[in-house]
Amino acid sequence: MIHRHPRTPHRDLYAAAAAVLLVTAAVLVGRHLQDTRHTLFVHWPPLFAEWDPHIGPGTPAALLLAAAGVAYGPALATRLPWRALTWVSWAASAAWIVSLALIDGWHDGIASRLTTGNEYLQVIGRFHDIPATLRGFDDHILGGVPGNWPAHVAGHPPAATVTFVLLDRIGLGGGGWAGMWCVVLGASASAAVLVALRVLADERLARRAAPFLVLAPAAVWMGASADAYFAAVAAWALACLALALTRRSLPWAGASGLLFGLTCYLSYGLVLVALIGIAVLVLTRTDLRARPALLVAFLAGLAVVPVVFGLLGFNWWTAYHLLVTRYYQGVGGTRPYGYWIWANLACTAVITGPATVASLPRTAGHLTHRDDRPAARLALIVCAALAALLIADLSGMSKAETERIWLPFAVWLLPACAFLPRPRLWLAAQVVLALLINHLLLTGW
């Protein structure tokens, strides 16, 4: 039984109100800084977006899905067979992401997102010889060098770009295929989190979290953002780790290690996902002690991607240090740390929504009081994700655009909504926020 305090409904509202004030302050202060100093390089701070009220072909579907999700989502999450729930969550999440993206139309919402000047598809032609390109990858990271990589290519290890190169090689080239790859895989993150929650906490809490995982405002940025793909890989790495330890399965442990390795070669900052992995280990330490060979299988899987890229000539550590230099050569060196250190948190409040913020005091209560073991276990996972996000924030390497960059952490904050009473009310707040963002703003990166 989830422990409830008589005053918690008011505490929920106070937390949500504090988030509203934080976002409002970030908007007002950000507009002032951008208008007077021009140092933020975003037009609608704290979000990387343009003010552009509009409707589009996705509007009817988004409204219908929002209404249906609020009306029937919590009940379906309770009644569906577990296996069906995971598949339905994946499909519904994909539908929600696509419908929101199509508010901007197919071209602007999906097909052209990964083809702009800073994106991965700009360099497909330079990867005719993948090993040779990887050997010289570091030579093109810094700004000002001949043939330097576009921002997103330089800002990530090459597994991100190689993914789209391989899609092109098998005949799935172009922005439409690349965009849908990110949408479909990104949507699977909701299923991955559900799988992990069921074995780490309990099925009841996982079912309560399911509608919030599907209808998150983060879906606005999961539409054809490569960070949605990264979030899914990281989520499945953690889900496989949870399955490996609770089932004491060597194949699941190997798969988890393989996906963790890939995660680190998709985005440097996702090394911090290891903090959530540590929380998983803490919760399953008895299983690990019973079968230590699981750690060997995990490490064997973890070595695969680094060894392959190392043999092909790419040095992760060298590239990361070059990226830090490149970051401060560009707008990252101009954007004020003093603003973004807290405005990034306002971005997080937007992508996770008022329901998530409202649930955080309850999460802290379950973690400290440990009155309900499944709830305390879920609280530990959420707190680990929050800790990873805060470390990313303090690093200063994510000033702005964190509404997409931090998607891999955000999907692990959303399960805190399982602690909330009146789920339909909070779900309504979530979907209204997502609809307002996508109809009033033109988001980009």
Side-chain angles (χ1 to χ4, degrees), residues 96-189:
W96 178 235
I97 294 168
V98 170
S99 67
L100 289 172
L102 291 180
I103 292 170
D104 299 330
W106 167 257
H107 180 267
D108 292 340
I110 294 179
S112 67
R113 291 281 179 157
L114 296 171
T115 64
T116 57
N118 287 323
E119 285 289 358
Y120 306 96
L121 268 62
Q122 287 290 319
V123 300
I124 296 295
R126 295 172 61 178
F127 278 76
H128 291 302
D129 185 338
I130 293 177
T133 306
L134 291 179
R135 285 193 296 274
F137 190 87
D138 294 358
D139 299 334
H140 304 285
I141 292 177
L142 294 179
V145 301
N148 65 313
W149 299 118
H152 287 186
V153 177
H156 294 83
T161 308
V162 169
T163 297
F164 299 109
V165 171
L166 295 177
L167 282 176
D168 184 77
R169 293 276 178 91
I170 63 173
L172 304 180
W177 285 112
M180 289 307 298
W181 168 270
C182 294
V183 167
V184 174
L185 284 188
S188 75

Side-chain angles (χ1 to χ4, degrees), residues 177-264:
W177 285 112
M180 289 307 298
W181 168 270
C182 294
V183 167
V184 174
L185 284 188
S188 75
S190 60
V193 175
L194 286 178
V195 168
L197 294 181
R198 187 191 189 208
V199 296
L200 294 174
D202 68 9
E203 185 173 319
R204 182 176 60 88
L205 284 172
R207 287 178 178 275
R208 287 180 62 86
F212 293 95
L213 286 163
V214 169
L215 296 175
V220 172
W221 290 275
M222 294 188 86
S225 163
D227 296 271
Y229 162 43
F230 307 161
V233 175
W236 282 110
L238 291 164
C240 289
L241 181 63
L243 290 172
L245 291 164
T246 56
R247 296 182 179 181
R248 302 179 183 178
S249 165
L250 293 177
W252 281 118
S256 175
L258 180 65
L259 290 173
F260 262 115
L262 177 58
T263 297
C264 295

